[in-house]
Amino acid sequence: MADECRAGDFLEWVAPDISTACVFSRLDDHADLVRATAVSRTWRRFVIENNLSKSLCVRLCPEVATVAAAAEVTRSLSSPSAPESDSERDYRIYSNLASALVSDSGNPSVGCVLRCVGASSTDTFPDETMVHTLDKGELVNFRPSYWSSCGADDPEEPESLTYRLNSDICIIDEIRVQPFLAFFQYGEPIYSSKTVRFRMGHYKLPHGSESFVTHENENKMINADKKYTWTYTSPEFPMLQENVLQSFKLPCPVLCIGGVLMIELLGRVQKQEADDKYYICVCHVEVIGRSLSPLFMIDISEPGGYSILKYLPDAKNLSAEDKVQDNTNDSLEWQSLVARYMQMNHIAVLNARLMHINFMLEDDDEGVSDDDPLE
């Protein structure tokens, strides 16, 4: 009997519901779950068939629950020699996703804003457009750099700023917002909001068809109910009426699926003396996180809005030169996804260079001895 016990499988002696409740559901490290699958074929089959790797991802980031399906996109046109089940494929994809969610050693947190999408209102275009919120300085090219809402009689009228992030799938843990101090107005008022809230999700139109800030459409394009699907909404955070870059740490890191972030500015504090209306003005915005691309990408299926997680295992081994090479042996889906990643990465690099140029110009401006930069 002793020999039989030593040779037996633990799951064959314990009922599946007990093992799930008492053992597997308590594993909070993806490495432990992977090790469990190596113990025996029974354990491996149990983990795979019950999709426990995705369950772990959902516990790490609840937004994963909105993913409708997962697919693996390889570079090669040839199919794998050994067929595998959908459950085995999903186990591999979500195991790697769990690893990416908790590991930041190779991809530290950085600024994630790619570009502006639009503002709920703008007082004066282009002098007060939201693109100025990407500038780090309060003064650029001899002019104050900030976004201003239109004036309102109601102090509770909200405003919003919407940004496109530099990845379709990224981890966000902090947003920074700096209210604007109107140093050119009497008393130097600060036009902050009372509180701030953040939404993350995706645009409902097909990928690449988004409209962006222009003179004609900036004040018309933002409508969260009709144009966006939000997969995460943060609690409200109080905003100080101070001219500093205020940090808002999310309760836990959020998986932004779709690459769109909206900053909701709720409640108004300051009236403008000239017209006796309430305004909200923002000097600078930063979104801090890390991209999971190109190892993972997201495709949004419309009109249903289903998100499909794409896993590109070959992407981790590619050099920058390989990524831009046109290899006819690559699958069409691989080429499309990598081209999309490279395009977004290229835009992010250009934006970073432009912001650096603005920063250098700002440093030059500080050396000018004019008493009033607006005169």
Side-chain angles (χ1 to χ4, degrees):
M1 181 66 180
D3 292 338
E4 292 178 0
C5 290
R6 283 195 297 269
D9 193 315
F10 174 72
L11 289 188
E12 295 178 356
W13 295 88
V14 181
D17 57 336
I18 297 177
S19 63
T20 301
C22 299
V23 181
F24 291 108
S25 64
R26 296 179 182 271
L27 297 179
D28 55 5
D29 188 324
H30 73 283
D32 291 337
L33 197 61
V34 171
R35 294 187 188 102
T37 62
V39 171
S40 71
R41 286 189 294 270
T42 305
W43 282 35
R44 178 178 175 82
R45 185 170 61 251
F46 184 86
V47 169
I48 291 175
E49 290 179 353
N50 288 277
N51 210 3
L52 295 185
S53 57
K54 182 176 181 178
S55 298
L56 175 58
C57 289
V58 172
R59 294 203 302 274
L60 293 171
C61 287
E63 299 76 38
V64 177
T66 65
V67 174
E72 185 171 320
V73 181
T74 59
R75 196 168 183 177
S76 173
L77 290 170
S78 60
S79 57
S81 55
E84 64 177 1
S85 67
D86 291 344
S87 297
E88 290 173 323
R89 180 206 60 208
D90 286 352
Y91 163 73
R92 183 173 59 257
I93 293 173
Y94 285 108
S95 293
N96 282 278
L97 177 62
S99 176
L101 293 176
V102 300
S103 174
D104 59 357
S105 58
N107 204 358
S109 294
V110 295
C112 290
V113 174
L114 179 68
R115 55 188 167 186
C116 299
V117 175
S120 51
S121 74
T122 297
D123 192 34
T124 304
F125 198 102
D127 293 341
E128 296 174 326
T129 181
M130 70 173 291
V131 295
H132 298 309
T133 63
L134 302 184
D135 297 324
K136 291 188 176 180
E138 298 179 41
L139 197 66
V140 175
N141 296 335
F142 299 95
R143 299 194 62 85
S145 176
Y146 66 98
W147 161 81
S148 173
S149 71
C150 290
D153 296 318
D154 183 3
E156 300 305 318
E157 185 172 331
E159 296 285 349
S160 63
L161 300 173
T162 305
Y163 298 88
R164 186 70 168 88
L165 304 183
N166 59 11
S167 173
D168 292 333
I169 179 168
C170 48
I171 296 287
I172 303 299
D173 51 23
E174 179 184 1
I175 296 99
R176 301 168 184 169
V177 182
Q178 180 175 352
F180 179 65
L181 181 149
F183 55 85
F184 47 82
Q185 293 183 357
Y186 178 76
E188 298 187 339
I190 298 174
Y191 292 95
S192 70
S193 63
K194 292 180 182 178
T195 61
V196 64
R197 183 170 61 198
F198 310 106
R199 296 183 187 271
M200 300 184 206
H202 63 84
Y203 208 58
K204 286 185 177 180
L205 294 181
H207 184 85
S209 62
E210 304 99 326
S211 299
F212 297 99
V213 175
T214 67
H215 185 285
E216 293 80 13
N217 68 13
E218 183 184 22
N219 294 337
K220 302 176 182 178
M221 63 172 300
I222 298 303
N223 189 321
D225 292 336
K226 293 183 178 179
K227 294 190 175 183
Y228 298 94
T229 296
W230 303 118
T231 56
Y232 172 81
T233 301
S234 78
E236 290 186 29
F237 298 91
M239 176 170 278
L240 302 177
Q241 197 170 9
E242 297 179 5
N243 180 34
V244 295
L245 190 60
Q246 301 177 32
S247 173
F248 302 98
K249 278 277 192 181
L250 300 177
C252 62
V254 174
L255 183 66
C256 181
I257 298 176
V260 175
L261 180 139
M262 174 181 282
I263 299 176
E264 294 184 293
L265 302 157
L266 307 175
R268 302 169 185 239
V269 178
Q270 183 64 49
K271 276 187 176 182
Q272 180 176 251
E273 186 177 353
D275 59 5
D276 199 38
K277 291 182 181 294
Y278 290 95
Y279 288 82
I280 299 176
C281 299
V282 172
C283 177
H284 184 54
V285 166
E286 293 180 4
V287 180
I288 307 301
R290 52 190 176 88
S291 169
L292 300 187
S293 299
L295 191 59
F296 292 96
M297 304 282 279
I298 284 287
D299 274 347
I300 308 297
S301 174
E302 293 300 341
Y306 302 113
S307 56
I308 302 173
L309 178 68
K310 298 292 182 71
Y311 173 52
L312 287 71
D314 300 324
K316 66 179 74 173
N317 300 319
L318 291 180
S319 65
E321 292 76 15
D322 291 331
K323 289 173 185 173
V324 298
Q325 258 187 342
D326 183 16
N327 191 335
T328 55
N329 293 324
D330 292 345
S331 67
L332 293 178
E333 187 174 11
W334 163 271
Q335 293 182 31
S336 174
L337 290 173
V338 172
R340 193 171 89 196
Y341 165 77
M342 292 301 295
Q343 181 185 32
M344 296 184 71
N345 192 53
H346 177 67
I347 294 173
V349 170
L350 288 178
N351 285 347
R353 289 176 177 173
L354 289 174
M355 284 189 283
H356 176 71
I357 291 172
N358 286 337
F359 180 74
M360 296 300 293
L361 289 173
E362 178 197 354
D363 283 350
D364 292 340
D365 294 343
E366 289 177 356
V368 179
S369 58
D370 293 345
D371 293 332
D372 189 346
L374 299 181
E375 292 181 352

